[in-house]
Amino acid sequence: MHIHVLGSGAGGGFPQWNCNCYNCDGLRKGTINATKRTQSSICVSSDGVNWVLFNASPDVLQQIQDFPPLQPGRAIRDTGIQAVVLIDAQIDHTTGLFMLREGLVKREIYCTDAVYGDLTSGNQILNILGHYCGINHHHVPIDGETSFTIPNVPNLKFTTVSLKSAAPPYSPHRNNPQPGDTIGVLIEEISTGKKCWYSPGLAEIEPHLPVLMNQADCIMVDGTFWTDTEMIDLGLMTKTARSIGHNPQSGPNGMIEDLDKFGDVRKVLIHINNTNPILREDSAERAILNAHKIEVAYDGMDIIL
Ligand code: MLT
Ligand code: MN
Ligand code: ZN
């Protein structure tokens, strides 16, 4: 199984267009040891030809250009992307669908009923696509037991489960969480049994998740913030990391503590906010991650299981 990180940044990317935090300013000026990141997305394939896109970021056009297997060039209109699975209805995970509107072939969109509701009401992107390529909507289960396959994507199987994060600010359930607002997915390569867990939005590893996460050879989880008060401390927001759906890495019940409970498998943080000190490769915070054998995803990262 080939997992390719298209975008490892959180909403806004790195550097963020209007941000002059220490990291964004330092990246622009070349004064910190860090690399730019586009917004949150991965693609996965078993045969290297047919890919599933997980989330469609606003940067998707650049991400496709930077990863040639997504444009195999077999016909006048072509793509290696056979389907799009949406983890949630957040702007950074869905806006790229607007950029994928061309063509006569409908986009195959896999999402939960809660996400479908948000993307056909508060944010009408799936309705609007009906005036361009059109979509086929596939309902995604949230019980963590029912697996599904995707036509034209050979040898991969998906098990999706509802988990605690947060619906987007425009959603009527932003402060009233609904099952399926956010999911995690266990991606399995059928022939080898290799598995990857992917949950770029994750506020807490609730008791129903380890049964799936423990099966994974690679765990990719929410790496948005280092501390719960990161945005408050910088005067950028009044809300904590956890309250907007992101478990911070440090501190009691943080992501480092949580990941330490899993065995000797690859552990990768993804969806990293531009304020997070782990983006600086020589930071003390990055050294702590290294000591815990936790990797930080970067754009273009390939994970072969
Ligand atoms: C999030 O992950 O909390 C959101 O994507 C933030 C945003 O919309 O930029
Ligand atoms: Mn996000
Ligand atoms: Zn910044």
Side-chain angles (χ1 to χ4, degrees), residues 11 90 92 244 246 271:
Q90 296 273 9
D92 57 346
I244 61 164
H246 304 295
H271 187 278

Side-chain angles (χ1 to χ4, degrees), residues 225-228 242 247-261 288 292:
F225 298 115
W226 179 254
T227 67
D228 199 30
R242 286 190 176 89
N247 191 18
Q249 284 103 59
S250 62
N253 303 313
M255 199 63 91
I256 295 173
E257 258 191 39
D258 283 350
L259 289 178
D260 278 346
K261 295 174 194 150
I288 293 171
H292 288 263

Side-chain angles (χ1 to χ4, degrees), residues 127-141:
N127 297 340
I128 291 170
L129 283 179
H131 299 278
Y132 297 86
C133 58
I135 68 155
N136 285 322
H137 166 236
H138 305 266
H139 160 93
V140 157

Side-chain angles (χ1 to χ4, degrees), residues 5 39 150 237 281:
V5 175
Q39 294 169 78
I150 295 179
M237 199 186 265
E281 286 165 32

Side-chain angles (χ1 to χ4, degrees), residues 68-139:
L70 294 184
Q71 182 43 267
R74 299 162 295 196
I76 181 101
R77 291 280 169 87
D78 197 15
T79 178
I81 300 170
Q82 296 292 352
V84 185
V85 176
L86 301 174
I87 291 295
D88 55 38
Q90 296 273 9
I91 296 288
D92 57 346
H93 286 159
T94 58
T95 313
L97 293 174
F98 278 129
M99 284 81 214
L100 305 179
R101 68 192 176 284
E102 291 92 357
L104 302 173
V105 181
K106 289 184 176 173
R107 296 292 89 76
E108 305 293 334
I109 309 287
Y110 290 73
C111 65
T112 67
D113 292 341
V115 167
Y116 186 76
D118 278 340
L119 297 180
T120 50
S121 57
N123 171 359
Q124 304 231 359
I125 190 165
L126 296 184
N127 297 340
I128 291 170
L129 283 179
H131 299 278
Y132 297 86
C133 58
I135 68 155
N136 285 322
H137 166 236
H138 305 266
H139 160 93

Side-chain angles (χ1 to χ4, degrees), residues 1-3 44-46 187-189 192-197 215-220 265-266 302-305:
M1 170 159 52
H2 185 168
I3 300 139
V44 181
S45 175
S46 173
I187 310 161
E188 176 176 355
E189 186 173 54
T192 60
K194 293 286 183 189
K195 293 175 190 156
C196 177
W197 168 265
Q215 300 176 39
D217 303 281
C218 175
I219 298 173
M220 301 183 87
V265 295
R266 281 188 84 170
D302 286 304
I303 296 173
I304 312 289
L305 298 177

